[in-house]
Short mmCIF file of all heavy atoms in Angstrom, two decimals:
data_model
loop_
_atom_site.label_atom_id
_atom_site.label_comp_id
_atom_site.label_asym_id
_atom_site.label_seq_id
_atom_site.Cartn_x
_atom_site.Cartn_y
_atom_site.Cartn_z
N VAL V 156 59.26 -26.28 15.49
CA VAL V 156 60.45 -25.52 15.10
C VAL V 156 61.70 -26.37 15.26
O VAL V 156 62.65 -26.27 14.47
CB VAL V 156 60.55 -24.23 15.93
CG1 VAL V 156 61.92 -23.56 15.74
CG2 VAL V 156 59.44 -23.26 15.54
N MET V 157 61.69 -27.22 16.30
CA MET V 157 62.85 -28.10 16.53
C MET V 157 62.77 -29.37 15.68
O MET V 157 63.49 -30.33 15.91
CB MET V 157 62.92 -28.46 18.02
CG MET V 157 63.25 -27.28 18.91
SD MET V 157 63.49 -27.74 20.64
CE MET V 157 61.85 -28.29 21.09
N HIS V 158 61.83 -29.36 14.70
CA HIS V 158 61.67 -30.48 13.77
C HIS V 158 61.29 -31.78 14.49
O HIS V 158 61.65 -32.87 14.06
CB HIS V 158 62.95 -30.70 12.94
CG HIS V 158 63.40 -29.47 12.21
ND1 HIS V 158 62.74 -29.00 11.10
CD2 HIS V 158 64.42 -28.61 12.44
CE1 HIS V 158 63.34 -27.90 10.66
NE2 HIS V 158 64.37 -27.64 11.46
N ALA V 159 60.56 -31.64 15.60
CA ALA V 159 60.06 -32.81 16.33
C ALA V 159 58.57 -32.94 16.02
O ALA V 159 57.71 -32.75 16.90
CB ALA V 159 60.32 -32.68 17.82
N GLY V 160 58.28 -33.21 14.74
CA GLY V 160 56.88 -33.24 14.31
C GLY V 160 56.07 -34.32 14.98
O GLY V 160 54.90 -34.11 15.36
N VAL V 161 56.66 -35.51 15.18
CA VAL V 161 55.93 -36.61 15.82
C VAL V 161 55.60 -36.25 17.26
O VAL V 161 54.47 -36.46 17.72
CB VAL V 161 56.77 -37.90 15.76
CG1 VAL V 161 56.06 -39.02 16.53
CG2 VAL V 161 56.99 -38.33 14.32
N ALA V 162 56.57 -35.69 17.98
CA ALA V 162 56.33 -35.29 19.37
C ALA V 162 55.27 -34.21 19.44
O ALA V 162 54.42 -34.20 20.35
CB ALA V 162 57.63 -34.81 20.01
N ALA V 163 55.29 -33.28 18.49
CA ALA V 163 54.28 -32.21 18.47
C ALA V 163 52.88 -32.79 18.26
O ALA V 163 51.91 -32.38 18.92
CB ALA V 163 54.62 -31.21 17.38
N ALA V 164 52.77 -33.76 17.32
CA ALA V 164 51.46 -34.37 17.06
C ALA V 164 50.97 -35.14 18.28
O ALA V 164 49.79 -35.05 18.65
CB ALA V 164 51.57 -35.30 15.85
N ILE V 165 51.88 -35.89 18.93
CA ILE V 165 51.49 -36.65 20.12
C ILE V 165 51.04 -35.71 21.23
O ILE V 165 50.03 -35.95 21.90
CB ILE V 165 52.66 -37.53 20.59
CG1 ILE V 165 52.94 -38.63 19.56
CG2 ILE V 165 52.35 -38.15 21.96
CD1 ILE V 165 54.16 -39.47 19.89
N LEU V 166 51.78 -34.61 21.42
CA LEU V 166 51.40 -33.64 22.45
C LEU V 166 50.03 -33.04 22.17
O LEU V 166 49.21 -32.88 23.07
CB LEU V 166 52.45 -32.53 22.52
CG LEU V 166 52.16 -31.39 23.51
CD1 LEU V 166 52.06 -31.94 24.94
CD2 LEU V 166 53.23 -30.31 23.43
N GLY V 167 49.78 -32.71 20.90
CA GLY V 167 48.47 -32.15 20.55
C GLY V 167 47.33 -33.10 20.82
O GLY V 167 46.30 -32.72 21.38
N VAL V 168 47.52 -34.38 20.45
CA VAL V 168 46.48 -35.38 20.68
C VAL V 168 46.26 -35.60 22.17
O VAL V 168 45.12 -35.65 22.65
CB VAL V 168 46.85 -36.71 19.99
CG1 VAL V 168 45.87 -37.82 20.40
CG2 VAL V 168 46.85 -36.54 18.48
N LEU V 169 47.35 -35.72 22.93
CA LEU V 169 47.22 -35.90 24.38
C LEU V 169 46.56 -34.71 25.04
O LEU V 169 45.77 -34.87 25.99
CB LEU V 169 48.61 -36.13 24.99
CG LEU V 169 49.29 -37.48 24.67
CD1 LEU V 169 50.67 -37.54 25.30
CD2 LEU V 169 48.43 -38.64 25.17
N ALA V 170 46.84 -33.51 24.54
CA ALA V 170 46.22 -32.31 25.11
C ALA V 170 44.71 -32.33 24.89
O ALA V 170 43.93 -32.01 25.80
CB ALA V 170 46.84 -31.06 24.48
N VAL V 171 44.29 -32.73 23.68
CA VAL V 171 42.85 -32.79 23.39
C VAL V 171 42.17 -33.84 24.26
O VAL V 171 41.09 -33.59 24.84
CB VAL V 171 42.63 -33.09 21.90
CG1 VAL V 171 41.14 -33.36 21.62
CG2 VAL V 171 43.12 -31.93 21.04
N ILE V 172 42.78 -35.02 24.38
CA ILE V 172 42.20 -36.09 25.19
C ILE V 172 42.13 -35.67 26.66
O ILE V 172 41.10 -35.85 27.33
CB ILE V 172 43.01 -37.38 25.04
CG1 ILE V 172 42.92 -37.91 23.61
CG2 ILE V 172 42.53 -38.44 26.02
CD1 ILE V 172 43.79 -39.12 23.33
N SER V 173 43.21 -35.07 27.16
CA SER V 173 43.24 -34.65 28.57
C SER V 173 42.20 -33.59 28.84
O SER V 173 41.51 -33.63 29.88
CB SER V 173 44.64 -34.13 28.92
OG SER V 173 45.62 -35.13 28.74
N ALA V 174 42.06 -32.63 27.93
CA ALA V 174 41.07 -31.57 28.12
C ALA V 174 39.66 -32.14 28.11
O ALA V 174 38.80 -31.74 28.93
CB ALA V 174 41.23 -30.51 27.03
N THR V 175 39.39 -33.09 27.20
CA THR V 175 38.07 -33.70 27.14
C THR V 175 37.75 -34.46 28.42
O THR V 175 36.64 -34.35 28.97
CB THR V 175 37.99 -34.65 25.93
OG1 THR V 175 38.29 -33.93 24.73
CG2 THR V 175 36.60 -35.27 25.83
N VAL V 176 38.71 -35.22 28.92
CA VAL V 176 38.52 -35.97 30.16
C VAL V 176 38.28 -35.03 31.33
O VAL V 176 37.38 -35.25 32.16
CB VAL V 176 39.73 -36.88 30.44
CG1 VAL V 176 39.64 -37.51 31.83
CG2 VAL V 176 39.83 -37.98 29.38
N ALA V 177 39.07 -33.96 31.40
CA ALA V 177 38.94 -33.01 32.51
C ALA V 177 37.58 -32.32 32.51
O ALA V 177 36.92 -32.22 33.55
CB ALA V 177 40.06 -31.98 32.45
N VAL V 178 37.15 -31.86 31.33
CA VAL V 178 35.86 -31.17 31.23
C VAL V 178 34.72 -32.12 31.58
O VAL V 178 33.77 -31.76 32.30
CB VAL V 178 35.67 -30.58 29.82
CG1 VAL V 178 34.23 -30.09 29.62
CG2 VAL V 178 36.65 -29.44 29.59
N THR V 179 34.81 -33.36 31.09
CA THR V 179 33.76 -34.35 31.39
C THR V 179 33.70 -34.65 32.87
O THR V 179 32.61 -34.69 33.46
CB THR V 179 34.03 -35.65 30.60
OG1 THR V 179 34.07 -35.35 29.20
CG2 THR V 179 32.94 -36.68 30.87
N TRP V 180 34.86 -34.86 33.49
CA TRP V 180 34.89 -35.19 34.93
C TRP V 180 34.35 -34.04 35.77
O TRP V 180 33.54 -34.25 36.68
CB TRP V 180 36.33 -35.51 35.34
CG TRP V 180 36.47 -35.91 36.78
CD1 TRP V 180 36.01 -37.05 37.38
CD2 TRP V 180 37.10 -35.15 37.81
NE1 TRP V 180 36.34 -37.05 38.70
CE2 TRP V 180 37.01 -35.90 39.01
CE3 TRP V 180 37.75 -33.92 37.82
CZ2 TRP V 180 37.53 -35.44 40.21
CZ3 TRP V 180 38.28 -33.46 39.03
CH2 TRP V 180 38.16 -34.22 40.20
N ILE V 181 34.76 -32.81 35.46
CA ILE V 181 34.26 -31.65 36.22
C ILE V 181 32.75 -31.50 36.03
O ILE V 181 32.02 -31.23 36.98
CB ILE V 181 35.00 -30.37 35.78
CG1 ILE V 181 36.47 -30.45 36.19
CG2 ILE V 181 34.34 -29.13 36.38
CD1 ILE V 181 37.32 -29.33 35.65
N GLY V 182 32.29 -31.70 34.79
CA GLY V 182 30.85 -31.61 34.54
C GLY V 182 30.06 -32.64 35.31
O GLY V 182 28.98 -32.33 35.85
N LEU V 183 30.58 -33.85 35.41
CA LEU V 183 29.89 -34.90 36.17
C LEU V 183 29.87 -34.58 37.66
O LEU V 183 28.87 -34.83 38.34
CB LEU V 183 30.57 -36.25 35.92
CG LEU V 183 30.42 -36.82 34.51
CD1 LEU V 183 31.30 -38.05 34.34
CD2 LEU V 183 28.96 -37.15 34.19
N ARG V 184 30.96 -34.03 38.17
CA ARG V 184 31.02 -33.71 39.59
C ARG V 184 30.04 -32.59 39.97
O ARG V 184 29.54 -32.54 41.10
CB ARG V 184 32.44 -33.31 40.00
CG ARG V 184 33.46 -34.43 39.91
CD ARG V 184 33.11 -35.59 40.82
NE ARG V 184 33.01 -35.20 42.21
CZ ARG V 184 34.03 -35.13 43.06
NH1 ARG V 184 35.26 -35.45 42.63
NH2 ARG V 184 33.85 -34.79 44.31
N PHE V 185 29.74 -31.71 39.00
CA PHE V 185 28.79 -30.62 39.25
C PHE V 185 27.40 -30.93 38.68
O PHE V 185 26.55 -30.04 38.62
CB PHE V 185 29.31 -29.32 38.66
CG PHE V 185 30.42 -28.68 39.44
CD1 PHE V 185 31.68 -28.57 38.90
CD2 PHE V 185 30.20 -28.20 40.72
CE1 PHE V 185 32.72 -27.98 39.61
CE2 PHE V 185 31.23 -27.61 41.45
CZ PHE V 185 32.49 -27.50 40.89
N SER V 186 27.16 -32.17 38.28
CA SER V 186 25.90 -32.51 37.61
C SER V 186 24.69 -32.47 38.52
O SER V 186 23.56 -32.46 38.04
CB SER V 186 26.01 -33.90 36.98
OG SER V 186 26.26 -34.90 37.97
N MET V 187 24.89 -32.45 39.83
CA MET V 187 23.76 -32.43 40.76
C MET V 187 23.34 -31.02 41.16
O MET V 187 22.44 -30.85 41.97
CB MET V 187 24.12 -33.23 42.02
CG MET V 187 24.33 -34.72 41.80
SD MET V 187 22.83 -35.57 41.23
CE MET V 187 23.28 -35.95 39.54
N VAL V 188 24.01 -30.00 40.62
CA VAL V 188 23.70 -28.62 41.01
C VAL V 188 22.24 -28.29 40.70
O VAL V 188 21.52 -27.74 41.54
CB VAL V 188 24.65 -27.64 40.30
CG1 VAL V 188 24.16 -26.20 40.49
CG2 VAL V 188 26.06 -27.77 40.85
N GLY V 189 21.79 -28.60 39.49
CA GLY V 189 20.41 -28.30 39.11
C GLY V 189 19.38 -29.00 39.98
O GLY V 189 18.50 -28.35 40.55
N PRO V 190 19.45 -30.33 40.11
CA PRO V 190 18.50 -31.01 41.00
C PRO V 190 18.55 -30.50 42.44
O PRO V 190 17.50 -30.40 43.09
CB PRO V 190 18.94 -32.47 40.90
CG PRO V 190 19.55 -32.59 39.55
CD PRO V 190 20.25 -31.29 39.33
N MET V 191 19.73 -30.18 42.94
CA MET V 191 19.83 -29.70 44.33
C MET V 191 19.12 -28.36 44.50
O MET V 191 18.42 -28.13 45.49
CB MET V 191 21.30 -29.56 44.74
CG MET V 191 22.04 -30.89 44.83
SD MET V 191 23.79 -30.69 45.19
CE MET V 191 23.75 -30.73 46.96
N MET V 192 19.27 -27.45 43.52
CA MET V 192 18.60 -26.15 43.60
C MET V 192 17.09 -26.30 43.52
O MET V 192 16.35 -25.63 44.23
CB MET V 192 19.12 -25.24 42.49
CG MET V 192 20.52 -24.74 42.69
SD MET V 192 20.94 -23.50 41.43
CE MET V 192 22.63 -23.12 41.90
N VAL V 193 16.63 -27.17 42.62
CA VAL V 193 15.19 -27.37 42.48
C VAL V 193 14.63 -28.05 43.73
O VAL V 193 13.49 -27.79 44.14
CB VAL V 193 14.88 -28.19 41.23
CG1 VAL V 193 13.41 -28.58 41.15
CG2 VAL V 193 15.27 -27.41 39.97
N ALA V 194 15.42 -28.90 44.35
CA ALA V 194 14.94 -29.65 45.52
C ALA V 194 14.56 -28.73 46.67
O ALA V 194 13.52 -28.93 47.31
CB ALA V 194 16.00 -30.65 45.97
N ASP V 195 15.40 -27.71 46.96
CA ASP V 195 15.10 -26.85 48.11
C ASP V 195 15.05 -25.36 47.79
O ASP V 195 14.85 -24.54 48.68
CB ASP V 195 16.11 -27.09 49.24
CG ASP V 195 17.54 -26.78 48.84
OD1 ASP V 195 17.74 -26.20 47.75
OD2 ASP V 195 18.46 -27.11 49.60
N GLY V 196 15.24 -24.99 46.51
CA GLY V 196 15.15 -23.59 46.11
C GLY V 196 16.31 -22.73 46.57
O GLY V 196 16.21 -21.50 46.50
N LYS V 197 17.40 -23.34 47.02
CA LYS V 197 18.55 -22.58 47.51
C LYS V 197 19.74 -22.75 46.57
O LYS V 197 19.76 -23.63 45.72
CB LYS V 197 18.93 -23.04 48.92
CG LYS V 197 17.82 -22.84 49.94
CD LYS V 197 18.26 -23.36 51.31
CE LYS V 197 17.15 -23.19 52.34
NZ LYS V 197 17.54 -23.71 53.67
N PHE V 198 20.74 -21.88 46.77
CA PHE V 198 21.94 -21.93 45.94
C PHE V 198 22.84 -23.07 46.40
O PHE V 198 23.11 -23.24 47.58
CB PHE V 198 22.70 -20.61 46.04
CG PHE V 198 23.98 -20.61 45.24
CD1 PHE V 198 23.96 -20.38 43.88
CD2 PHE V 198 25.20 -20.85 45.86
CE1 PHE V 198 25.13 -20.39 43.14
CE2 PHE V 198 26.38 -20.85 45.13
CZ PHE V 198 26.34 -20.61 43.76
#
C-alpha cells in the first residue's frame, strides 16, 4: 500500500526462508521421539 514493492517482496521471501529453517530445525530436534518411544515403550 505504501508502494514499497521491493521491500514487500524481500519480506515475503525472508519469511518463507525463515519459516522453512524454523520448521526444519524443530523437526530435527524432535527427530528422536519415535526411536525413543520404541526403545522403551514410554512417552
Side-chain angles (χ1 to χ4, degrees):
V156 169
M157 293 186 294
H158 304 287
V161 175
I165 293 175
L166 177 60
V168 172
L169 289 178
V171 171
I172 295 175
S173 299
T175 303
V176 171
V178 169
T179 302
W180 182 69
I181 293 172
L183 292 172
R184 294 299 302 274
F185 285 114
S186 61
M187 294 297 110
V188 169
M191 293 176 90
M192 288 187 181
V193 173
D195 61 10
K197 299 178 181 179
F198 178 81

